[in-house]
Structure formats: C-alpha cells, structure tokens
Amino acid sequence: MLDQTDTNQHVNSAVYVRCFLDAVQRRLAAGAYPAALRSKAFDIAYRKPCFVGERVRAHIRLFSQGDHIGGAGFIAAAGEEARPRCYVRVVFGS
C-alpha cells in the first residue's frame, strides 16, 4: 500500500473514493440492482487521515432519489463511528 500514500504515510485521498465506491457497488450487486450503473455524483468530506496499516470500514446506507440509487455513509476505524475519518455520498444512474 506504500504506492497509495504520501511521504508522511497518509493514505492518498483517491483511495477513500475507490474504497467507498467498491463497497457501495458490492452492496448494490448483492441486491436487485443492475450492474450497468455508473456514478453520476460524488461528495466526500475528510476529517482525519488514514495511515499505512490501519484498518477502516465503510459504513453504508443505500437510498433512492427519483430515478437514481445511491449510497451514503462514512469510513471509520473500529470505535471511531461517532467521529469518522470521512463522510461520503455517491449517486448512480444507468
């Protein structure tokens, strides 16, 4: 994972996006949603960095908004759920 960090061993901000998108897409694939969904909008707010070797988890809630489906949630380490590392929202459309 060192190729996904900066010189201070902070995880690159793009990794958070990829981690959350992968988690939402796995959740959608487990349901009755089409596989051909593409992300249309993405919002992320960072609070605290992750470092090499830390374990974090994406916490997700799916939602529908008109003809779109999405996921909102946060990324946090165990015990940090009240103050997550970042907050995320993604909207998909076909």
Side-chain angles (χ1 to χ4, degrees), residues 7-84:
T7 56
N8 294 322
Q9 293 191 351
H10 294 115
V11 173
N12 183 299
S13 56
V15 175
Y16 295 84
V17 174
R18 191 167 47 252
C19 174
F20 195 80
L21 282 174
D22 289 347
V24 172
Q25 288 169 335
R26 282 193 305 273
R27 177 74 57 89
L28 290 170
Y33 299 101
L37 294 175
R38 294 181 182 247
S39 56
K40 300 291 185 183
F42 194 90
D43 298 311
I44 188 164
Y46 300 97
R47 189 191 72 78
K48 178 181 175 183
C50 291
F51 294 94
V52 173
E54 290 185 310
R55 297 179 70 114
V56 295
R57 180 176 175 218
H59 299 260
I60 303 163
R61 290 277 171 112
L62 296 181
F63 64 87
S64 60
Q65 185 179 33
D67 293 339
H68 300 321
I69 188 79
F74 57 89
I75 295 175
E80 288 184 340
E81 292 82 5
R83 291 194 51 145

